[in-house]
């Protein structure tokens, strides 16, 4: 690496002012940047909305050369890339959905035109094309965003992240590695540093998890729908998190029908639909997005006033990340968690579902092999389209248990369980050009192979998108013949064919084994279960505790301690109400009622007013106050609607 002496670098505050227009850094940003510029491997933890991207973008510009940014989400990399380009900074992103020619062109531009940033997914780092181009890149900084994904103890562990450290052996040893995340426990912090091979002298910076403008509250609600409607009618922009794709559709439809325009978002939508819905929500076409946890990272909408969780999240990390999408403009915002008596039981039961018995996992593996008639020793690297419902029906197996057994078999390394559809067929050559002359092929295999080699370029370096309909036209074969021939060429290790699919798929990562040979390691099963159980119990503690400040509980979980309660969460509000005198309490409620009526065009149905007040006062107290204020002429009641005197409602 061509390390740039400090004296020749552009000062970081000048970079900040020139490209972003800011005069000063936020807390901890400057310390993280200085650590990187001094050549230290650096782990930075800044809360959602804390300005993580600037902590690597500023030093990358100061260092010159190329900064490789590894990030898991297409939306995240495209958003950051676009913002850099708008500021006149050369940046590129390579992601699923790009054609092979576009990928090659992007790499060539990065090499030829002095680019500063290249955004990649972790899977892309292992492709032959990237590794070939890497030799010519002047890499000066390696950044791993959402670094909690690398840790077995993080809440969003992703196996491809574990292989990022191998990249460090292919770039100069002096290049610093920077890891960024919004949430991490002490176990996760240690694991991130170990898995990224941080060098001696590495530094860790941890910002406070306190968001002064964000209020946390837990609302006890047996009727969650009514509570949700009341909360959203008071909110200009909100995200509603649910745990299933079906719920996103159902809640969005219900809210829209009840006068609160909403749309839904989940991982199963096509990339086009995801982008369109995200763009429409960002523009304010509808105020509410109902989503699974697939919606969030990279979403930078400043005026989200409320984040509502219909169901309990499985961990404080996930809750803190999602709640933190409210109030990114620094204005007051609220994170509301709706809870009732069955939520805790449901969350604990889900843990048992996620870890079916080892013998059941072996049974599922054996049934898969029977389903596709795969002999022992066969099937290595073969892809099979897989419809879970049909499989479960065929063998009379429980749907959820099979789904989680497949995930465990995936974690154990026997299969790859690809749950999302893939609408592009891809091919990459496996055999070398010289080896092709020594492989025995049928007439159809030779015809298809020659056509592919003649019509497509770059096959020996990376996956190339193909269309089976084009191959049908060029070879005069049927679709089935083309498909079967490509699979045969895959089994002969001539090429690797990944067909387009509208349904999930399973790939055998090893030759089929006898089920008695299936070994599910302790780290895959017991360690992961224990880690998830601890996170669930921490979430249960957060919900069920009503005598400790919500913020203090979250901070304690993340290893941060503060002696002062927040003063604004539901626990702190209830404590304040218990301490105040009866007269003061009544006066504050009456003032609040008048303020609510003034805000709502001076009129509200009684039932709705009561629902808005009952998080702070008892129903009997509210009813008594309304009755007294009506008797005293401070309120007018007509046909179940309350109004202030002297208004049109009168």
């Amino acid at each position: 690496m061509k390390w740039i002496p400090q004296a020749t670098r552009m000062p970081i505050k000048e970079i900040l002012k020139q490209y972003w227009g800011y005069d000063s850094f936020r807390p901890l940003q400057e310390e993280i940047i200085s650590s990187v510029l001094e050549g230290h491997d650096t782990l930075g933890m800044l809360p959602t909305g804390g300005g993580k991207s600037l902590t690597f973008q500023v030093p990358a510009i100061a260092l010159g050369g190329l900064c490789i940014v590894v990030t898991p989400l297409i939306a995240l990399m495209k958003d950051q890339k676009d913002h850099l380009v708008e500021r006149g900074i050369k940046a590129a992103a390579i992601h699923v959905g790009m054609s092979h020619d576009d990928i090659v062109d992007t790499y060539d531009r990065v090499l030829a035109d002095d680019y500063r940033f290249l955004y990649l997914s972790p899977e892309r780092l292992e492709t032959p094309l990237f590794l070939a181009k890497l030799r010519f890149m002047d890499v000066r900084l390696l950044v791993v965003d959402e670094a909690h994904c690398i840790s077995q103890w993080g809440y969003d562990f992703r196996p491809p992240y574990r292989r990022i450290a191998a990249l460090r052996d292919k770039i100069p040893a002096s290049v610093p590695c920077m890891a960024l995340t919004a949430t991490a426990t002490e176990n996760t912090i240690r694991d991130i540093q170990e898995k990224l091979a941080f060098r001696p002298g590495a530094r860790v910076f941890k910002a406070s998890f306190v968001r002064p403008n964000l209020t946390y509250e837990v609302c006890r609600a047996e009727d969650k729908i009514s509570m949700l409607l009341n909360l959203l009618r008071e909110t200009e922009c909100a995200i509603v998190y649910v745990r299933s794709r079906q719920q996103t559709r159902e809640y969005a439809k219900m809210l829209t029908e009840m006068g609160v325009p909403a749309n839904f978002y989940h991982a199963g939508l096509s990339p086009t639909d995801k982008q369109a819905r995200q763009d429409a929500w960002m523009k304010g076409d509808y105020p509410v997005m109902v989503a699974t946890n697939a919606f969030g990272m990279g979403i930078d909408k400043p005026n989200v006033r409320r984040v509502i969780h219909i169901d309990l999240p499985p961990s404080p990390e996930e809750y803190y990340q999602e709640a933190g999408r409210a109030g990114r403009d620094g204005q007051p915002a609220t994170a509301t968690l709706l809870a009732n008596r069955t939520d805790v039981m449901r969350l604990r039961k889900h843990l048992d579902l996620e870890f079916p018995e080892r013998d059941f996992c072996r049974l599922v593996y054996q049934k898969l092999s029977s389903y596709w008639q795969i002999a022992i020793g066969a099937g290595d690297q073969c892809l099979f389209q897989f419809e879970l419902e049909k499989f479960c029906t065929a063998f009379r197996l429980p749907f959820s248990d099979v789904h989680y057994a497949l995930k465990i078999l995936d974690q154990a390394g026997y299969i790859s369980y690809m749950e999302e559809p893939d609408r592009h067929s891809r091919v990459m050559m496996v055999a070398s050009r010289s080896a092709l002359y020594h492989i025995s092929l049928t007439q159809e295999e030779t015809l298809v192979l020659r056509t592919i080699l003649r019509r497509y370029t770059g096959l020996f370096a990376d996956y190339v998108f193909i269309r089976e309909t084009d191959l049908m036209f060029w070879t005069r074969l049927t679709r089935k013949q083309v498909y079967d021939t490509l699979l045969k060429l895959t089994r002969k290790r001539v090429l690797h064919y990944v067909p387009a699919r509208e349904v999930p798929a399973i790939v055998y990562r090893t030759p089929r084994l006898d089920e008695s040979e299936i070994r599910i390691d302790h780290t895959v099963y017991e360690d992961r279960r224990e880690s998830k159980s601890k996170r669930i119990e921490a979430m249960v503690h957060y919900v069920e505790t009503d005598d400790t400040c919500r913020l203090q509980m979250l901070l304690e979980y993340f290893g941060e301690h503060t002696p002062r309660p927040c003063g604004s969460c539901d626990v702190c509000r209830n404590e304040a109400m218990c301490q105040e005198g009866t007269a003061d309490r009544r006066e504050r409620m009456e003032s609040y009622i008048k303020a609510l009526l003034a805000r709502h065009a001076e009129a509200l149905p009684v039932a709705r007013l009561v629902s808005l007040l009952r998080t702070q006062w008892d129903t009997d107290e509210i009813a008594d106050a309304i009755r007294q204020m009506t008797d005293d002429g401070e309120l007018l009641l007509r046909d179940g609607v309350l109004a202030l005197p002297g208004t049109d409602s009168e």
Side-chain angles (χ1 to χ4, degrees):
M1 174 180 173
K2 303 171 184 175
W3 200 258
I4 303 175
Q6 182 69 41
T8 65
R9 295 176 188 156
M10 184 177 176
I12 58 175
K13 287 191 176 179
E14 287 186 23
I15 294 173
L16 183 69
K17 182 66 175 178
Q18 178 177 328
Y19 292 105
W20 283 274
Y22 302 139
D23 293 313
S24 60
F25 289 101
R26 294 186 190 180
L28 216 60
Q29 284 181 326
E30 191 167 3
E31 292 88 336
I32 294 172
I33 291 168
S34 297
S35 173
V36 174
L37 292 177
E38 291 166 9
H40 299 288
D41 289 340
T42 304
L43 171 58
M45 286 168 287
L46 294 173
T48 302
K52 291 195 300 294
S53 59
L54 278 181
T55 63
F56 70 82
Q57 290 169 348
V58 170
I61 294 171
L63 288 169
L66 182 67
C67 172
I68 292 178
V69 186
V70 183
T71 187
L73 290 183
I74 294 175
L76 192 67
M77 65 171 71
K78 287 172 67 177
D79 182 65
Q80 290 195 9
K81 184 263 293 183
D82 290 345
H83 278 89
L84 288 167
V85 172
E86 288 172 5
R87 289 171 168 79
I89 303 167
K90 291 183 178 179
I94 293 177
H95 51 78
V96 174
M98 295 173 66
S99 69
H100 177 75
D101 289 344
D102 286 341
I103 292 172
V104 172
D105 179 63
T106 300
Y107 280 134
D108 289 344
R109 283 188 287 108
V110 167
L111 289 171
D113 293 340
D114 196 28
Y115 272 60
R116 287 287 170 265
F117 297 90
L118 176 60
Y119 286 81
L120 299 163
S121 67
E123 294 83 358
R124 181 62 56 181
L125 302 178
E126 298 178 304
T127 63
L129 179 59
F130 168 73
L131 294 174
K133 299 292 185 182
L134 178 64
R135 291 182 297 152
F136 304 99
M137 294 177 182
D138 180 17
V139 180
R140 301 195 183 182
L141 180 61
L142 172 62
V143 176
V144 181
D145 202 4
E146 305 300 336
H148 59 271
C149 296
I150 204 172
S151 174
Q152 189 80 33
W153 313 115
Y155 73 91
D156 195 19
F157 170 60
R158 303 187 188 191
Y161 261 65
R162 284 292 179 98
R163 299 187 283 275
I164 296 174
L167 179 62
R168 303 201 69 181
D169 296 330
K170 298 177 176 64
I171 57 178
S174 57
V175 173
C177 179
M178 185 178 190
L180 296 167
T181 184
T183 54
T185 61
E186 292 303 316
N187 279 339
T188 305
I189 291 169
R190 287 191 293 269
D191 206 24
I192 289 171
Q193 295 180 82
E194 178 187 335
K195 297 304 183 294
L196 287 176
F198 270 26
R199 302 166 302 189
R203 295 180 177 176
V204 176
F205 296 89
K206 188 174 182 180
S208 172
F209 285 90
V210 176
R211 291 275 304 280
N213 65 311
L214 186 56
T215 295
Y216 296 94
E217 63 181 18
V218 174
C219 291
R220 314 291 174 188
E222 296 304 318
D223 183 359
K224 290 188 179 183
I225 292 176
S226 295
M227 179 70 78
L228 177 65
L229 283 168
N230 288 326
L231 293 171
L232 291 177
R233 283 179 176 139
E234 307 305 312
T235 307
E236 63 176 289
C237 182
I239 303 173
V240 177
Y241 280 110
V242 294
R243 302 306 300 171
S244 74
R245 297 176 183 182
Q246 182 178 346
Q247 281 180 299
T248 64
R249 292 188 293 270
E250 292 174 350
Y251 273 94
K253 181 181 178 183
M254 177 203 68
L255 289 171
T256 301
E257 289 174 348
M258 294 185 175
V260 181
N263 209 333
F264 65 91
Y265 187 107
H266 58 70
L269 297 172
S270 71
T272 302
D273 278 347
K274 287 179 183 176
Q275 193 62 51
R277 291 174 193 217
Q278 179 179 322
D279 291 345
W281 182 73
M282 294 288 285
K283 288 189 297 184
D285 291 351
Y286 43 86
V288 178
M289 179 69 84
V290 185
T292 61
N293 59 3
F295 185 75
M297 284 193 284
I299 304 302
D300 192 13
K301 189 171 172 62
N303 67 327
V304 178
R305 298 272 66 86
R306 192 180 289 271
V307 169
I308 302 171
H309 283 77
I310 297 291
D311 305 299
L312 299 191
S315 71
E317 292 101 323
E318 192 164 334
Y319 180 63
Y320 180 84
Q321 282 261 27
E322 292 166 1
R325 276 140 206 163
R328 297 187 71 163
D329 56 2
Q331 298 302 309
T334 306
T336 304
L337 202 163
L338 305 184
N340 59 33
R341 288 171 292 182
T342 63
D343 286 334
V344 170
M345 180 178 64
R346 190 182 300 119
L347 193 58
R348 285 173 172 153
K349 183 179 179 181
H350 193 263
L351 179 67
D352 293 330
L353 284 175
E354 281 195 65
F355 291 89
E357 296 292 331
R358 279 185 170 87
D359 285 343
F360 183 79
C361 296
R362 296 186 183 101
L363 173 67
V364 170
Y365 182 85
Q366 184 266 324
K367 295 299 184 185
L368 284 176
S369 304
S370 299
Y371 193 55
W372 292 307
Q373 298 296 300
I374 303 171
I376 290 176
D380 185 22
Q381 303 306 313
C382 288
L383 179 146
F384 301 92
Q385 296 203 6
F386 180 71
E387 295 186 58
L388 182 58
E389 193 170 341
K390 286 185 179 180
F391 176 79
C392 293
T393 301
F395 293 102
R396 298 182 180 179
L397 295 172
F399 185 95
S400 294
D401 290 11
V402 170
H403 171 73
Y404 288 110
L406 293 172
K407 283 180 170 289
I408 289 175
L409 291 168
D410 187 329
Q411 289 276 344
Y414 295 107
I415 63 170
S416 290
Y417 178 33
M418 299 182 288
E419 299 178 64
E420 305 304 332
D422 186 348
R423 294 173 174 84
H424 300 281
S425 294
R426 302 189 299 279
V427 163
M428 182 176 73
M429 294 301 300
V430 175
S432 65
R433 291 183 185 274
S434 59
L436 292 177
Y437 294 102
H438 306 290
I439 299 174
S440 177
L441 300 176
T442 66
Q443 185 175 346
E444 278 188 2
E445 290 167 355
T446 301
L447 174 61
V448 170
L449 179 60
R450 284 179 175 171
T451 302
I452 288 173
L453 291 172
R454 188 167 58 249
R455 297 284 182 171
Y456 298 101
T457 60
L459 288 155
F460 289 90
D462 201 354
Y463 284 98
V464 174
F465 290 130
I466 65 167
R467 293 174 59 185
E468 289 85 349
T469 51
D470 290 341
L471 290 175
M472 290 166 56
F473 175 77
W474 292 326
T475 62
R476 304 301 184 202
L477 298 174
T478 66
R479 175 178 284 276
K480 186 177 188 307
Q481 286 174 316
V482 168
Y483 178 77
D484 289 346
T485 302
L486 288 168
L487 289 181
K488 289 174 184 175
L489 290 169
T490 298
R491 294 187 188 109
K492 290 185 176 183
R493 298 189 181 278
V494 174
L495 51 76
H496 190 233
Y497 168 54
V498 182
R501 51 187 170 79
E502 296 295 329
V503 296
I506 286 175
V507 176
Y508 275 69
R509 288 157 65 181
T510 67
R512 185 239 161 141
L513 302 170
D514 183 85
E515 52 269 27
S516 63
E517 299 178 86
I518 297 295
R519 300 283 183 267
I520 298 172
D521 192 77
H522 195 278
T523 59
V524 172
Y525 199 91
E526 282 83 4
D527 288 356
R528 289 179 61 243
R529 183 184 176 107
E530 181 183 359
S531 177
K532 290 199 171 191
S533 176
K534 287 180 179 177
R535 292 199 292 270
I536 285 173
E537 292 308 315
M539 201 69 234
V540 170
H541 173 71
Y542 175 84
V543 171
E544 291 190 336
T545 302
D546 57 8
D547 60 358
T548 304
C549 168
R550 302 282 174 208
L551 179 61
Q552 284 183 316
M553 282 190 277
L554 285 173
L555 294 179
E556 183 178 355
Y557 179 82
F558 291 116
E560 182 177 345
H561 303 282
T562 176
R564 178 177 294 178
C566 70
S568 61
C569 71
D570 60 297
V571 175
C572 290
R573 293 198 305 263
N574 288 337
E575 185 175 331
M577 284 187 284
C578 291
Q579 292 175 354
E580 69 182 342
T582 304
D584 292 339
R585 181 180 175 84
R586 180 59 168 265
E587 182 180 341
R588 191 164 65 85
M589 190 198 322
E590 291 179 356
S591 297
Y592 194 41
I593 289 172
K594 292 176 182 177
L596 281 173
L597 290 172
R599 191 189 310 166
H600 293 274
E602 290 91 18
L604 272 176
V606 172
R608 188 171 169 201
L609 180 65
V610 171
S611 68
L612 292 171
L613 296 170
R614 66 185 180 189
T615 60
Q616 298 186 47
W617 291 276
D618 293 333
T619 304
D620 290 343
E621 287 183 284
I622 299 167
D624 184 59
I626 291 173
R627 189 181 307 109
Q628 187 63 53
M629 292 174 75
T630 304
D631 291 344
D632 294 344
E634 296 181 76
L635 297 179
L636 295 173
L637 177 62
R638 180 178 298 167
D639 298 326
V641 175
L642 283 169
L644 295 172
T647 67
D648 292 339
S649 300
E650 188 177 352

